[in-house]
Structure formats: structure tokens, C-alpha cells
């Protein structure tokens, strides 16, 4: 018996009217902050280099890149032939795709192997159901075929005329891979694979050598790869290894054999080389209990693996000719590093993306032979930003069971740590995903107003390996919540903040984390921000028609099992709301969100409003045109960040920034960040 269950029916006019009234209520409550919102927006915009260009990617003589223009919400994708001094060819102007729409997200962007055609897809309402189109780049015209309801996954065969792509079912699950021949009737697409198990998703990709097309079938804990030759896409699929429950593996191809990253007999994964037709396997990277093998990139003479050790990503380069390996050096003690775009198999350059809480994002090209790094592109931060003005560190809290929980911190170097500072503590803790300590220019507006910004790397994430994930999932999920509470308590004891100046934030599954800890310890927090929060775990997991539900039985538990259902109900934020005082709370959602349905936060807010006994703000902001990721245009995204930051600043900090307004014309750019990548930097 749920008095707010009627909010699930988006076709009911009362539902839209209710959401619109929530937006009006929020606007009234935040009206006095509009000058602050405008100031914050101008600050954030002032740090943005509005006209800019990405680091080009060289592929078969073409240089592909995207550029942005001042005043335009979305990028323009381009290429040049031979060199970056050649004439520019515009491939796709995303701004034109938005005509008549308030939202746009690009999915697939795949030039054909002969570079004549471009397969691209786009979503105009946030539902993540993409429309796939094909453009003839020689003539600049669109081919007549169009495919709706596709997933963000496609790959060309080597003939540049055959395209494989994934398509959704009614529950937004990518369940089919289809094959289309250019020029043929779209209705005559060929079914390559249909996945009947609702716990599995299907996707398609191409190997580094371009010799094979891979159909990847994945559940939360099991995977299977099937493949065809890219020169013969019409042949029958072959299974690389039959699926076995609990066994995960991924495959790429090298001229010496298939590279297989697997957890078979290796909780944190190992890397094997499997030679075609041979019975033996060569172990390239063994399993280690304290290091998780995350990713593998194949090159002709090298193999690059990313490894997560002690909560940080390391890059190891295997030299196949010399039979040696080495790690790429990094000098900062808290940072984020991820694999960049590396489409050229015979290259000696590995591209990665580096940043930290104080170092703006840098695209780095690493020569695997000379071991030299070159910053190909540095994110410009206007407004006189200097990393030396800020300090980042990693500390640890002690959980209830004695486990050390890492916390990444950043704050102004001149900030006195006397316990009186406002603090924003964020967390996620799900799916084995790691919440990275990466640079965020909008966060500077909080730091310059005296905030400490903190990331709690709680269990359920993947920061400390697969066991870290397992200790925060299923029947151990409560560890995620108690870890976060321990981090909050540690920050107050250590003098970074006090409970009456502590704000917390989480997004999606991180919103579940925030909803759970607010129920557990409403006295510990002053301000709460929950973005597209997964707050109605029990009801959602009981409804297999909702996207992601069946796939996520292995993360949250299968509610058809009474033990699992009882455990979920013991922490589900919606089910555990009770009468009492709560902090100031801002909740955001999107009407078209396929991952966390809008009705979860809408019902959570409605129920809490009937139970709370305080006068603190409880606001719901609904984007009626977007989905899980919020606004899509870069200016609209900044408006969202300014609104959320104004909510925090208005309640916790003085409105004037510490430093000069970075929106001033002719603002100074920050110095080069390449020095942060040099070994030995203090």
C-alpha cells in the first residue's frame, strides 16, 4: 500500500502537474539565490575556453578532432587529410542535430575503414534510445536508412559497406546485434545474435588488428565473446569460450594470438595469450591479490595494461621484442589516469588522460620506446588558475570493522584547518566502479569560498580491487553506508569541518548511498544533494520490466529470494524514512531517465515531506526534457552546476569568492601542467 504509487504513471496528467509544481516550489525557495547563481555561472563560464579544439587522433592519414565555438552548446566533429595544416572537413555539427530539441547526446561515432562513410547515432530526449544514421562523407549526404531504438554500440566490417550494431528491447536492454548492408532496405537487416537471457547485454566492437568483429555478451558477473572475421562478416559466429557462471573475460587480438583478460582462478584478473589452434596458454600478467588488472590495449610491439594498486591507476608497458616491462612514472600521490583513444595498432605511442584534484586534464602521448611523455592537449582553465594555490592529499578513516577507508581531499592551501570550514563529501560505492580524484573546474567556485572537497572511496567501488567491490554488494551492502559515515565522522574529528557545516552528495547509485546514510545519521549532516538517486531499491528490484533490474540482481540481490528482499528493505532509503528532523535536501531527476526512473526521487520527496518535522528545505528539481545525465549542452550543464553550488553556498559559506572573479575579460590562463607528470616532482 503506497500512497505515492500513482506517481509512476507518466501518462496521468496529474503526474506532470505534480512535477511542475515541485519545480515551481523549488524556484520560489531558490529565488533569493538567483544573483548568487548568476555569479557562480559567470565564474564557471569564465574558466571555460569557449572556442577550443581537442587533441587530434591520427588514423590512416586523417587527423580526426572536434572543436567548440563560443556561444554554441555542442561540438563540431572534423578531420583533415595529411596534416593539421590541410583544409578542414566538417563531418558532423552536433548543434544542427538539436534543432527542435532541448537535449542531445551523441552515441556511436564510427568512420568506415575506407573513411568514406560515418555511422553516428544520437538521442534527443535522454532516454538513451539512439537513432542510427549513416553519412556519405564524399558527397556530404545522408543515406536514406535510419534505425531507431539502437544502443551505443556499432562496428564496421573491413569492406566499409557492412555495419553491425546493437538494438534495444522494450526494457532498453541491448539484446540484439544486427547486420546492415549499405544501400539495402533497412527492413532487411540480418539478425546476427539475439540474447534471450535478460541478465545479459549485447554489444559489438572490433579488435585492435581490425581482423575480427566481436559480439560481447555480459551480465554483472559473467561474460561471453563471439566473433567473426572482419573480412567475412556474413559467416556464422564462433564462441571464443562458452559462458560459465561467475567467469568474466574480455578479448582483443594480436598477431601472436588472442589476448584474454579473465578472472578464472584470478579474482583480480590476469592476462593470457591464447594462440589459435594451440592447446597451451601463455600467462603474460599473473594474478596478484593486491593489484587489479583493469584494461588491456594491444599494439604491434607492445601491450599496455592498466592496473589499480592502493586505490590508484598505474600503467604497465610490456615490450614484446625485449621481453621486459615498465611502468609509466607519475609523481602526484593523488590523481586520475585513464586510457585515451588508441586506434592505431602499429603505433609506438600510447595515449592516456591524466588529471588530479589540482591538475587540469591533460592528453598525454607516451613513446613506449624512448619512454618520453608529450602533453598533446591540456585543458585550458581561464581566470588565473594556479595549482600551487590548492592542496590535495589522501587520508584514511577507520570503518566499524577496522578497515581503512581512503578519502581524497582538496582545499585552498591558505585555508586554516580549524574545524570551521564547510565541506562537501561525495561518494558512490557500487558496481566495482572507482570514484576518481580528477580535476573539476566548477569545484573551484566552492574551494575559493572556503570549502573542503572530499571523496570517500567506500567499499562497493573498485578502488582497492575486486574484494573491495564484493565487500560492499549484495548481503554486505551496508558496509558502503557505514564506511561513508566513518569518513564523515573522521573529517569532523580531524578538524576539516563540523557536522553543522558538512554537506554530502551522491549521484545515481551514489544517491542510494546518500539516502541510506541520511536515514541512519540525519544529525551528522547539514546539507544533502541527491542527483538522480536510486532510492526505492526494493520496489525497483521487484519490477523486471524496468531497465537494468534483472542485470543488477548480482549487485543488489534477487528479491525473489526472501533473505535478499529482507536485506534490501533494511536499507532501502524509501522504505526507511521516518518521522523526525532531516538536513536541508536538494533532489534532482530527469523525466526521461531510463536508469533511475523519475518516480523514485519524486515519491521519496513526497513521502519525506509528510514525515519530516523540521523547517529545513526539501526541494525537488525535475528536468522535463532530459534523462539520467542531466542537461546535455555545455552552457546548460554549467547552469545546473551553478544552481547546485548556490544551494550549498547559500546554506554553508559566504557568497563572495576568495580570488578575483575569473569571468573578467583577458583572464590569465594557468601555467602548463606537464610538470606534474615528471618523475621526482615534490
Amino acid at each position: 500500500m503506497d500512497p505515492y504509487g500513482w506517481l509512476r504513471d507518466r501518462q496521468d496528467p496529474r503526474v506532470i502537474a505534480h512535477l511542475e509544481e515541485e519545480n515551481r516550489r523549488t524556484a520560489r525557495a531558490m529565488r533569493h539565490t538567483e544573483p548568487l547563481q548568476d555569479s557562480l555561472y559567470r565564474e564557471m563560464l569564465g574558466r571555460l575556453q569557449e572556442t577550443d579544439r581537442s587533441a587530434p587522433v591520427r588514423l590512416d592519414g586523417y587527423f580526426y578532432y572536434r572543436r567548440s565555438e563560443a556561444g554554441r552548446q555542442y561540438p563540431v566533429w572534423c578531420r583533415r587529410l595529411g596534416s593539421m595544416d590541410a583544409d578542414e572537413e566538417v563531418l558532423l555539427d552536433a548543434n544542427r542535430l538539436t534543432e527542435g530539441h532541448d537535449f542531445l547526446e551523441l552515441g556511436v561515432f564510427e568512420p568506415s575503414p575506407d573513411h568514406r562513410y560515418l555511422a553516428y547515432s544520437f538521442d534527443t530526449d535522454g532516454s538513451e534510445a539512439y537513432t542510427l544514421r549513416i553519412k556519405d562523407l564524399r558527397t556530404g549526404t545522408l543515406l536514406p536508412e535510419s534505425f531507431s531504438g539502437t544502443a551505443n554500440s556499432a562496428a564496421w566490417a573491413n569492406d566499409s559497406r557492412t555495419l553491425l550494431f546493437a538494438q534495444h528491447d522494450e526494457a532498453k536492454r541491448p539484446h540484439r546485434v544486427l547486420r546492415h548492408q549499405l544501400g539495402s532496405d533497412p527492413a532487411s537487416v540480418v539478425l546476427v545474435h539475439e540474447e534471450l537471457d535478460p541478465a545479459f547485454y549485447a554489444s559489438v566492437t572490433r579488435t585492435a588488428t581490425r581482423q575480427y568483429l566481436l559480439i560481447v555478451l555480459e551480465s554483472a558477473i559473467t561474460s561471453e565473446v563471439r566473433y567473426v572475421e572482419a573480412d567475412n562478416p556474413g559467416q556464422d559466429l564462433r564462441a571464443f569460450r562458452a559462458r560459465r557462471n561467475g567467469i568474466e573475460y574480455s578479448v582483443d587480438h594480436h598477431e601472436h594470438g588472442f589476448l584474454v583478460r579473465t578472472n578464472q582462478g584470478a579474482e583480480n584478473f590476469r592476462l593470457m595469450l591464447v594462440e589459435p589452434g594451440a592447446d597451451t596458454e601463455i600467462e603474460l600478467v599473473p594474478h596478484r591479490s593486491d593489484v587489479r588488472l583493469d584494461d588491456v590495449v594491444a599494439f604491434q610491439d607492445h601491450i599496455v595494461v592498466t592496473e589499480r594498486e592502493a586505490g590508484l591507476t598505474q600503467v604497465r608497458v610490456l615490450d614484446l621484442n625485449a621481453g621486459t616491462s615498465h611502468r609509466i612514472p607519475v609523481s602526484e600521490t593523488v590523481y586520475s589516469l585513464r586510457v585515451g583513444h588508441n586506434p592505431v595498432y602499429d603505433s609506438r605511442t600510447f595515449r592516456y588522460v591524466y588529471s588530479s584534484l589540482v591538475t587540469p586534464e591533460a592528453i598525454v602521448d607516451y613513446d613506449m620506446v624512448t619512454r618520453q611523455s608529450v602533453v598533446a592537449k591540456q585543458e585550458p582553465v581561464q581566470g588565473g588558475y594556479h595549482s600551487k594555490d590548492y592542496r590535495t592529499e589522501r587520508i584514511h578513516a577507520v570503518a566499524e570493522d577496522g578497515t581503512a577507508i581512503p578519502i581524497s581531499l582538496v582545499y585552498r592551501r591558505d585555508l586554516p584547518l580549524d574545524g570551521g570550514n564547510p565541506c562537501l563529501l561525495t561518494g558512490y560505492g557500487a558496481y566495482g566502479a572507482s570514484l576518481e580524484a580528477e580535476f573539476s573546474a566548477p569545484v573551484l567556485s566552492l574551494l575559493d569560498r572556503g570549502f573542503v572537497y572530499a571523496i570517500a572511496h567506500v567499499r562497493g567501488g573498485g578502488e582497492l580491487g575486486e574484494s573491495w567491490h564484493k565487500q560492499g554488494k549484495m548481503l554486505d551492502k551496508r558496509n558502503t553506508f557505514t564506511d561513508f559515515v566513518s569518513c564523515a565522522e573522521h573529517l569532523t574529528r580531524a578538524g576539516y569541518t563540523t557536522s553543522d557545516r558538512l554537506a554530502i552528495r551522491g549521484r545515481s547509485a551514489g544517491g542510494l548511498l546518500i539516502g541510506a546514510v541520511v536515514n541512519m545519521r540525519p544529525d551528522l549532516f547539514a546539507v544533502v544533494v541527491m542527483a538522480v538517486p536510486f532510492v526505492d531499491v526494493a520496489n525497483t528490484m521487484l519490477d523486471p520490466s524496468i531497465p537494468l533490474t534483472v542485470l543488477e540482481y548480482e549487485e543488489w540481490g534477487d528479491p525473489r529470494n526472501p533473505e535478499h528482499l529482507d536485506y534490501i528493505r533494511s536499507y532501502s532509503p524509501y522504505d526507511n524514512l521516518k518521522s523526525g528532523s532531516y538536513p536541508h535536501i536538494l533532489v534532482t531527476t530527469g523525466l526521461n531517465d531510463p536508469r533511475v526512473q523519475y518516480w523514485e526521487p519524486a515519491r521519496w520527496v513526497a513521502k519525506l515531506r509528510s514525515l519530516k518535522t523540521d523547517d529545513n528545505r526539501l526541494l525537488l528539481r525535475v528536468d522535463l526534457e532530459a534523462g539520467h545525465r542531466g542537461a546535455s549542452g555545455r552552457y546548460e550543464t554549467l547552469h545546473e552546476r551553478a544552481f547546485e553550488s548556490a544551494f550549498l553556498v547559500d546554506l554553508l559559506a559566504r557568497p563572495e569568492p576568495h580570488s578575483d572573479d575569473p569571468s573578467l575579460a583577458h583572464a590569465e590562463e594557468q601555467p602548463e601542467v606537464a610538470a606534474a607528470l615528471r618523475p621526482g616532482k615534490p
Side-chain angles (χ1 to χ4, degrees), residues 419 486-500 502 524:
S486 296
C487 290
E489 291 175 332
H490 182 80
L491 290 173
T492 62
R493 287 194 303 266
Y496 291 97
T497 189
T498 55
S499 60
D500 62 350
L502 176 59
L524 187 55

Side-chain angles (χ1 to χ4, degrees), residues 308 310-312 333-336 356-357 391-397 405-411 423-427 435-438 447 452-458 463 487 490-491 496:
R308 188 168 289 273
L312 295 169
T333 57
V334 184
Y335 61 88
S336 167
S356 75
L357 291 170
R391 181 182 179 188
T392 182
E393 60 179 319
R394 177 159 288 180
I395 62 174
H396 291 82
I405 312 300
I407 307 172
S408 297
L409 296 169
V410 62
Y411 48 88
C423 175
L424 176 60
L425 174 64
T426 65
L435 197 57
E436 303 290 358
E438 57 191 8
L447 302 183
V452 174
Y453 179 71
I455 304 171
H457 302 286
V458 294
E463 287 88 343
C487 290
H490 182 80
L491 290 173
Y496 291 97

Side-chain angles (χ1 to χ4, degrees), residues 8 10-11 15-16 19 101-105 123-130 168 170-172 507 532 546-548 588-601 621-632:
R8 290 174 56 108
R10 72 177 69 228
Q11 304 304 320
V15 172
I16 301 301
L19 299 179
H101 304 283
D102 294 321
F103 179 92
L104 179 73
E105 181 176 332
D123 163 26
T124 56
D125 63 7
S127 66
E128 299 180 37
Y130 297 89
H168 287 139
E170 293 182 356
K172 302 286 179 66
R507 181 178 180 84
V532 291
I546 297 176
L548 301 181
T588 64
T589 188
L591 180 63
N592 302 320
D593 191 339
R595 297 172 182 261
V596 179
Q597 304 291 330
Y598 74 90
W599 62 69
E600 290 199 35
R621 195 182 200 210
V622 185
D623 191 327
L624 299 173
E625 307 293 338
H628 193 66
R629 296 181 178 91
S632 56

Side-chain angles (χ1 to χ4, degrees), residues 267-269 292 294 308 310-312 403-406 426-436 455-474 476-481 483-484 509-510 512-513 555-556:
E267 181 182 55
N268 277 331
F269 293 87
R292 188 178 72 182
D294 279 350
R308 188 168 289 273
L312 295 169
T403 301
I405 312 300
T426 65
Y428 189 73
Y431 306 114
S434 299
L435 197 57
E436 303 290 358
I455 304 171
H457 302 286
V458 294
R459 282 176 285 186
E463 287 88 343
L464 294 177
E466 190 57 30
S467 65
W468 199 251
H469 174 210
K470 290 179 178 178
Q471 291 175 51
K473 63 180 285 193
M474 301 286 283
D476 290 314
K477 186 61 195 171
R478 292 185 69 87
N479 283 336
T480 304
F481 315 136
D483 285 357
F484 192 87
L512 160 62
L513 162 62
E555 181 71 24
W556 314 108

